Amino acid sequence: MSLKNRINVVRKQATKSVTKKLLKQQSISLFNPDEIKRVLITRPNHRLGNQLLIMPLIKEVHLQFPEAKIDLYLKGNLGKVLFENYEYIDKIIRLPKQHFKELGRYLNSWFSLRQHSYDLVINAEASSSSGRLSTKVARAKHKFFGYEREMKLFDAADVAHISKYPIYSLRYFLKQSLVEKSLPDLELKMTGKELGQGKQLLATYADSNKPTICLYTFATGKKCFSKVWWNHLYLALKKEYPDHNIIEALPVENVSSLDFKIPAFYSKNIRELASFISQTSLFITGDCGIMHLAAATNTPTIGLFNVTVKAMYEPYNVACLGIDTNQKSAEDICQILRTSTEKLNFSTPII
């Protein structure tokens, strides 16, 4: 392990230790939600999936406090791309990804938390030590650091999900019913122009008169299925859905577990990729950030899980499905798709 990585490990352990006690907090009652005019939501993590998965929480906060402007404290450059059409988001305070290379900007982003006074600060992920620390540093009348899952303070059918737990936690913190209202959906908020561009892009890769199944065969580490596995699934899908286009969306690495044997779309522009996915009928992928991007486009999305916990990370929206692939063949997966047609609303998208 390099010296920089060792320092990073020590830094994370120290921060977690120092901020652990911040989780001990009491619920509050806000008799007048209109008194909340400015909210900060903090999620200083640069990963695509983690930033996408705070979208339902952001929408929940907007529904709870419709007059409030919302600021975000995020890491990296994705925030301004993902949230550009969220009109009630005011500022995005950006923590640089590379702390040591951009030390000045890194320190400045922390100091900037003190420049504004908030009515409420919300740590989107209780287990994040950086989230706890940024909540502590920010100036606010009310602060919600989150509840760690092992505290088991409340229960709901889908409380294990990484994106739903913070919403239930906030409702518990505000002394509200957990289930009286439905949870907000995961939404990228694409424009009509973007959807139209996606339709045009798809038409160059697939027959517009047929529904399209899109595969994304890349994931990191052990979450990535082998080329042999993906080829078996592709052949099974081809047999099960002979009247469908089957295409592939490629990662930024421009690699294919199907060795480019089917039409493959490539784009480094995350919103362009999303617009393309939005016009497909079904998106199938392993557990990765692009899985959550697909779900955020309101495309029926299948998440394939072999090592991570399905209940915690499966695609968020109603017309989505997580499948534990352990001890399941490609044919078994097709059988699950066949019996889940109604849930997935598997049809040609309409702009």
Side-chain angles (χ1 to χ4, degrees), residues 185-202:
D185 60 357
L186 177 68
E187 183 187 9
L188 186 60
K189 291 188 182 292
M190 290 185 293
T191 65
K193 181 179 179 180
E194 287 177 315
L195 295 173
Q197 289 172 340
K199 185 174 183 179
Q200 291 177 354
L201 286 170
L202 182 61

Side-chain angles (χ1 to χ4, degrees), residues 1-15 75 97-100 106 129:
M1 183 183 294
S2 68
L3 176 61
K4 186 173 76 171
N5 287 339
R6 287 199 295 269
I7 293 173
N8 229 4
V9 169
V10 172
R11 177 186 63 81
K12 289 181 178 179
Q13 290 174 341
T15 306
K75 181 182 283 189
K97 285 172 59 176
Q98 298 179 311
H99 304 168
F100 297 100
Y106 174 76
S129 54

